[in-house]
Amino acid sequence: MPDTSSARRGFRLPGGFRLRRGDENLRLWEEKLNTPLFVASLMYLVVYAVPILSSSLLPQVELLFLFTQVLLWLVFAVDYAVRLYLSPQRFYFVTHNLPNLAVVLLPAWRIVGLLAMINITATRQYKRLSEFVMRMLGYTIIFIIVAALGVYAVEDGAPGALITDVWVAYWWVMCTLATVGYGDVYPVTIAGRILAALVMVYGVGMFGMVIGTISTWIIEKISGITEEDHAATKSDVAEIEREVTELKQIIMRQDFLIQQLAAAHLESVSQGDDIAQGDDMEQYSRADGAAGE
């Protein structure tokens, strides 16, 4: 029987805090790190942009910025790993929290968490649509900033490069993202073309997501589905997940008790056989003695 006591106790962190799997602990972890991760995402964007925009940094300073950038990326990677561990339904967490995984790839996207709290309308029937608009706007702005700086960093100084200014880089990213592609400027390096492919994929995916979300919202309004219906459905699913988790824990405890009872029964049967065998030997000895007399 595997030892499940360590899983129930969780891992102890400095300061006495234990990591135990469960929705409540996951919520507490996210609340505690919400502000620190927002600050870390801002720092990541700064340490990413400054070495690219500044040409007067000492090599030691550039190395320090690079080290800080890698360290901040590790912070977001560890945060995602911890949240994945705390989640009772790990596959569900991965498939239904793709923005969290995207933040590991691009930590500056964590800033969007603040923009998502800003609603462009106070009307409840437009709340989900406004949240989606703010999130997509935030993701796209940060993506444009990071992509433009990246293509400028790899193109500037390359032979035959056309993107030799950061503002030209922003123009190129916006044209490529909008799938316009005027062709007046384009990357000539391999790294620049890889970035161009990523920008194209993001642009196509963004427009597809926007169209799909707006279409779904219109269909819901026509069919009469309200925000309360979505909230009720989500709460029902959460309640079912909690009940399933509790049933799994009960089944594990029952299996453990059954195995303990089976082991105790086998031990008692073995002891009974030994006692019976001893009685038979004693009776045989008595009979043998009587026959000798």
Side-chain angles (χ1 to χ4, degrees), residues 43-293:
M43 292 177 59
Y44 181 89
L45 190 59
V46 171
V47 299
Y48 172 79
V50 169
I52 296 176
L53 297 176
S54 178
S55 59
S56 59
L57 293 179
L58 296 175
Q60 297 85 348
V61 178
E62 290 185 358
L63 184 61
L64 178 62
F65 273 96
L66 178 60
F67 175 78
T68 306
Q69 184 177 339
V70 173
L71 183 62
L72 291 172
W73 179 84
L74 288 175
V75 168
F76 285 94
V78 170
D79 169 68
Y80 183 82
V82 170
R83 286 192 287 173
L84 181 61
Y85 168 77
L86 293 176
S87 177
Q89 304 292 333
R90 294 179 179 174
F91 181 77
Y92 181 87
F93 177 84
V94 172
T95 56
H96 290 73
N97 292 275
L98 294 179
N100 294 326
L101 183 59
V103 168
V104 178
L105 303 177
L106 185 57
W109 267 338
R110 189 64 176 74
I111 303 173
V112 180
L114 178 63
L115 295 176
M117 300 177 184
I118 304 174
N119 293 323
I120 59 177
T121 177
T123 307
R124 287 187 57 85
Q125 64 177 355
Y126 297 105
K127 182 180 178 181
R128 288 179 60 236
L129 184 62
S130 66
E131 289 180 354
F132 172 78
V133 169
M134 296 308 297
R135 284 187 179 275
M136 287 305 303
L137 180 63
Y139 285 134
T140 303
I141 290 176
I142 293 175
F143 182 81
I144 290 174
I145 293 174
V146 173
L149 292 174
V151 74
Y152 170 68
V154 299
E155 289 291 313
D156 187 31
L162 300 174
I163 305 176
T164 57
D165 183 81
V166 67
W167 300 113
V168 176
Y170 279 113
W171 165 254
W172 171 82
V173 169
M174 294 182 68
C175 290
T176 306
L177 191 66
T179 67
V180 176
Y182 284 113
D184 51 348
V185 290
Y186 50 86
V188 297
T189 63
I190 296 178
R193 291 175 178 175
I194 293 175
L195 285 173
L198 293 176
V199 173
M200 296 174 192
V201 171
Y202 182 90
V204 174
M206 178 189 67
F207 283 110
M209 186 177 298
V210 168
I211 294 173
T213 301
I214 294 177
S215 301
T216 302
W217 179 80
I218 293 174
I219 293 173
E220 289 176 354
K221 294 308 171 185
I222 294 175
S223 60
I225 299 176
T226 63
E227 294 289 336
E228 288 75 8
D229 296 331
H230 284 285
T233 302
K234 291 179 181 178
S235 64
D236 293 339
V237 171
E239 181 64 26
I240 292 173
E241 290 178 349
R242 284 193 295 268
E243 292 178 357
V244 170
T245 302
E246 293 176 358
L247 288 174
K248 288 182 178 179
Q249 294 175 353
I250 292 173
I251 292 172
M252 290 178 62
R253 289 195 295 266
Q254 289 180 346
D255 289 341
F256 180 70
L257 291 175
I258 290 172
Q259 292 188 11
Q260 283 186 329
L261 291 174
H265 177 69
L266 291 175
E267 184 178 358
S268 64
V269 170
S270 177
Q271 291 177 353
D273 292 342
D274 293 340
I275 293 173
Q277 185 177 3
D279 293 341
D280 291 341
M281 292 296 296
E282 185 178 355
Q283 292 177 2
Y284 177 78
S285 298
R286 289 177 180 176
D288 186 59
E293 293 177 356

